[in-house]
Amino acid sequence: MSPYLRFRSARPSNDLRMLERFYVEALGCTRLGAFEDHEGFDGLIVGAADASWQVEFVHEHGVTAPRAPSDEHLLVFYVADRIALAERETAMRGAGHEPVELGSMIASAAH
């Protein structure tokens, strides 16, 4: 990725603690930051340790975030190292998460 280009995606959520357990503790992402009651929002930012990519999850006080409109609304992570992949899979299973099949031919083809 270009040194001057960063990527951040923002997604609404109803359970920031569950997302932190999944992305940081099970998947192994870095917790880059968090905030509470910033103009009515709480948030969690996870991503690469160098912050080259980030996912920001936000919860608006008093609002129930909608569910993803389809099964194709995915964040897809590729782990190139088989040993690291096995470690992450074990951690994710230990945290109560099971692998899912990719429904998208585009996501499957890129893997």
Side-chain angles (χ1 to χ4, degrees):
M1 187 173 280
S2 171
Y4 59 84
L5 183 62
R6 300 282 190 226
F7 170 81
R8 178 183 281 183
S9 176
R11 292 182 165 218
S13 174
N14 294 311
D15 191 344
L16 297 176
R17 179 63 191 126
M18 183 275 302
L19 290 171
E20 184 169 13
R21 285 193 310 270
F22 178 81
Y23 284 97
V24 176
E25 297 170 18
L27 187 57
C29 297
T30 299
R31 182 182 190 268
L32 299 171
F35 53 90
E36 291 184 12
D37 201 21
H38 176 73
E39 297 181 13
F41 289 86
D42 297 335
L44 169 69
I45 304 167
V46 302
D50 68 358
S52 59
W53 64 266
Q54 305 167 21
V55 180
E56 178 179 357
F57 296 102
V58 295
H59 173 72
E60 184 175 4
H61 297 183
V63 175
T64 300
R67 295 188 47 81
S70 79
D71 290 340
E72 293 301 311
H73 285 78
L74 306 171
L75 288 176
V76 180
F77 293 87
Y78 298 100
V79 182
D81 179 278
R82 288 180 188 238
I83 293 171
L85 177 61
E87 290 170 351
R88 291 298 93 213
E89 184 176 346
T90 298
M92 292 179 77
R93 286 181 187 272
H97 304 286
E98 293 297 322
V100 296
E101 294 294 321
L102 292 175
S104 168
M105 291 303 296
I106 294 171
S108 296
H111 186 264

